[in-house]
Amino acid sequence: AALRAATIDRLAARLGIPATAAPDFVVERLGQAGGLSAAQLRTLLYGPPPNTDAELVALAAELADFEGELNHRD
């Protein structure tokens, strides 16, 4: 949850999304800015917690990749 929250906070601040924005709004705005569908973003940012260390590592990598992709679009 902390990895997801930190990613959302950084991207929201960068894109001018209010900190109090609802998940649907966050997904919509990040979907406009990035290359993932709404369903993919919802799973990435708000999906169930990883069950194993390997899943946690994979989630961290996916979050970093998405954030990096958005940072390189500028």
Side-chain angles (χ1 to χ4, degrees):
L3 289 173
R4 286 178 163 139
T7 300
I8 292 167
D9 287 348
R10 285 189 300 274
L11 292 175
R14 185 173 163 271
L15 296 173
I17 300 170
T20 58
D24 286 342
F25 183 77
V26 173
V27 166
E28 178 184 332
R29 290 292 304 274
L30 291 179
Q32 293 168 354
L36 296 179
S37 71
Q40 291 170 311
L41 281 170
R42 208 169 271 105
T43 299
L44 179 63
L45 299 175
Y46 300 103
N51 292 315
T52 66
D53 288 345
E55 288 178 1
L56 178 61
V57 170
L59 175 61
E62 290 176 44
L63 290 167
D65 289 347
F66 180 67
E67 188 170 354
E69 181 181 319
L70 288 186
N71 288 336
H72 286 107
R73 289 182 182 244
D74 287 340

